[in-house]
Amino acid sequence: MAQASVPSTPLLKDELDIVIPTIRNLDFLEMWRPFFQPYHLIIVQDGDPTKVIKVPEGFDYELYNRNDINRILGPKASCISFKDSACRCFGYMVSKKKYIYTIDDDCFVAKDPSGKDINALEQHIKNLLSPSTPFFFNTLYDPYRDGADFVRGYPFSLREGVPTAVSHGLWLNIPDYDAPTQLVKPLERNTRFVDAVLTIPKGTLFPMCGMNLGFNRELIGPAMYFGLMGDGQPIGRYDDMWAGWCMKVICDHLGWGVKTGLPYIWHSKASNPFVNLKKEYKGIYWQEELIPFFQSATLPKDCTSVQKCYIELSKQVRAKLGKVDEYFIKLADAMVTWIEAWDELNPPSEASADVTNGPAK
């Protein structure tokens, strides 16, 4: 008999790709088989392209290594990071589906407080298919969930909500901490299961973690660039953060929502805090200037598509963050290259080139 948590016909079976960056055999997929097997996987192999990555039998997948990325993108491959999980965003670019779910290979199936396996993908899909409420906070959290609603005093004019662009999931066991926090709290584990989904309010930034993340590729895909990280770069472990800050500024401008909370996955292993400190060192003090930059960033009214917004943001990165470090000049160039490569692989149709509802007031 099928498990109760698995719908008989998987949601969005032909409209969603699962993107996995990896350097190792994907044995972890065995435990995800009941939830992932009906979907198409895009595996982005990092590191040595001659290494053979084994994928369990029965999965429908395509695998890209560095040689494939160079072949497909040519000189524009320079915008895709090497030896860093930021390479996952190549999978977003080559996908042809409306939705993306991305997960790391050290993320296992978590259990809810009753002991039942959590179908993380199904919850992300629910988050993405229901509206967000970024303009007014609902104290019962997500009003579209079963058993919840808009509370007294919530404006009726805002109850339709807006499209949800991103669903940001969380982790039990190993928390997503930076290196200094890891060093101070080496034994800390997250055991708190909070049964809530929240819309992150307009004007509020957040640290986006890429290891358990769903998004509407058709809506926000071109903004989900994970930057220049890893090999040959002065920084690592800020790939998802960078994407999250850019994405949130653009979603706020275009009037879309971002949710965080459920679903949980089980994050199985802590990365080395000393290695992490080396990667994060510059980012830890750069972010004190990056955050105010994104908090004050505004996009002009004529930025009516994600691509236009992203190119405009790249100009502001160059002008304002270029003074912080020359790395940001390089990153601004890579942001433009990313959009050019995206548009080459995904030629914008006239209908979808501009966002119909225009920027939020």
Side-chain angles (χ1 to χ4, degrees):
M1 201 173 83
Q3 291 177 31
S5 57
V6 184
S8 49
T9 306
L11 290 163
L12 303 179
K13 181 173 122 37
D14 301 317
E15 294 182 76
L16 182 142
D17 278 333
I18 299 172
V19 174
I20 306 167
T22 194
I23 55 168
R24 58 182 65 86
N25 293 337
L26 293 179
D27 305 334
F28 92 114
L29 284 173
E30 274 306 339
M31 74 171 64
W32 286 103
R33 189 182 288 278
F35 307 129
F36 287 3
Q37 191 160 1
Y39 296 88
H40 179 68
L41 312 182
I42 296 177
I43 299 159
V44 184
Q45 178 180 342
D46 199 13
D48 179 6
T50 62
K51 185 180 170 185
V52 176
I53 299 280
K54 291 191 179 126
V55 181
E57 278 191 30
F59 285 93
D60 169 35
Y61 71 93
E62 53 194 297
L63 186 149
Y64 298 93
N65 62 31
R66 193 69 209 187
N67 295 340
D68 300 315
I69 294 171
N70 292 339
R71 175 176 51 79
I72 292 164
L73 294 184
K76 290 189 174 68
S78 61
C79 73
I80 305 296
S81 300
F82 184 53
K83 294 190 178 166
D84 193 282
S85 66
C87 67
R88 78 177 78 220
C89 62
F90 176 76
Y92 311 162
M93 189 187 268
V94 293
S95 169
K96 297 294 175 227
K97 304 286 173 61
K98 183 174 180 180
Y99 297 96
I100 295 283
Y101 174 54
T102 185
I103 184 172
D104 284 7
D105 60 15
D106 62 349
C107 294
F108 300 167
V109 177
K111 292 191 184 300
D112 69 15
S114 75
K116 190 171 125 192
D117 283 357
I118 297 168
N119 184 347
L121 181 52
E122 183 183 27
Q123 180 65 49
H124 275 294
I125 290 169
K126 285 179 178 173
N127 293 348
L128 290 166
L129 293 181
S130 61
S132 292
T133 53
F135 306 123
F136 201 89
F137 190 80
N138 190 50
T139 52
L140 270 185
Y141 310 124
D142 189 340
Y144 306 105
R145 281 187 78 193
D146 288 344
D149 211 321
F150 291 98
V151 296
R152 183 170 56 87
Y154 201 100
F156 281 85
S157 58
L158 293 176
R159 292 190 183 195
E160 268 185 35
V162 300
T164 301
V166 173
S167 169
H168 177 257
L170 296 173
W171 350 268
L172 292 170
N173 197 34
I174 308 286
D176 188 24
Y177 285 163
D178 53 39
T181 311
Q182 276 184 299
L183 287 164
V184 175
K185 296 177 159 184
L187 301 178
E188 185 154 290
R189 300 293 179 264
N190 183 32
T191 56
R192 293 192 316 144
F193 180 96
V194 181
D195 186 11
V197 178
L198 288 74
T199 294
I200 299 171
K202 182 181 181 184
T204 300
L205 294 171
F206 75 110
M208 186 175 84
C209 170
M211 67 177 148
N212 173 26
L213 183 71
F215 62 93
N216 183 328
R217 179 183 174 277
E218 215 169 74
L219 212 55
I220 198 65
M224 299 298 278
Y225 174 47
F226 275 46
L228 284 179
M229 303 281 149
D231 200 46
Q233 309 301 340
I235 186 174
R237 283 174 58 84
Y238 274 85
D239 51 336
D240 42 10
M241 301 294 134
W242 182 263
W245 298 328
C246 293
M247 171 278 295
K248 187 61 166 63
V249 167
I250 292 171
C251 281
D252 285 353
H253 173 73
L254 294 173
W256 298 330
V258 178
K259 293 180 181 177
T260 187
L262 300 181
Y264 284 89
I265 51 83
W266 177 269
H267 187 208
S268 64
K269 66 175 196 287
S271 43
N272 184 315
F274 296 101
V275 173
N276 289 349
L277 188 59
K278 205 173 167 185
K279 291 178 180 177
E280 292 171 0
Y281 171 69
K282 286 190 184 317
I284 286 168
Y285 68 91
W286 280 347
Q287 74 183 25
E288 300 306 319
E289 302 204 44
L290 298 184
I291 301 304
F293 163 77
F294 283 107
Q295 284 173 328
S296 61
T298 55
L299 298 169
K301 278 205 172 115
D302 63 358
C303 286
T304 51
S305 70
V306 174
Q307 280 93 329
K308 286 177 186 171
C309 290
Y310 204 73
I311 295 294
E312 170 60 29
L313 209 46
S314 77
K315 290 175 187 167
Q316 295 183 24
V317 167
R318 173 186 289 281
K320 293 181 179 168
L321 296 180
K323 297 169 188 163
V324 175
D325 192 275
E326 63 185 24
Y327 163 73
F328 291 100
I329 306 278
K330 207 158 102 176
L331 180 53
D333 287 341
M335 290 168 76
V336 175
T337 305
W338 160 264
I339 293 294
E340 290 170 354
W342 182 283
D343 284 346
E344 264 178 40
L345 291 182
N346 305 277
S349 64
E350 303 231 349
S352 65
D354 273 4
V355 176
T356 47
N357 58 345
K361 306 256 183 322

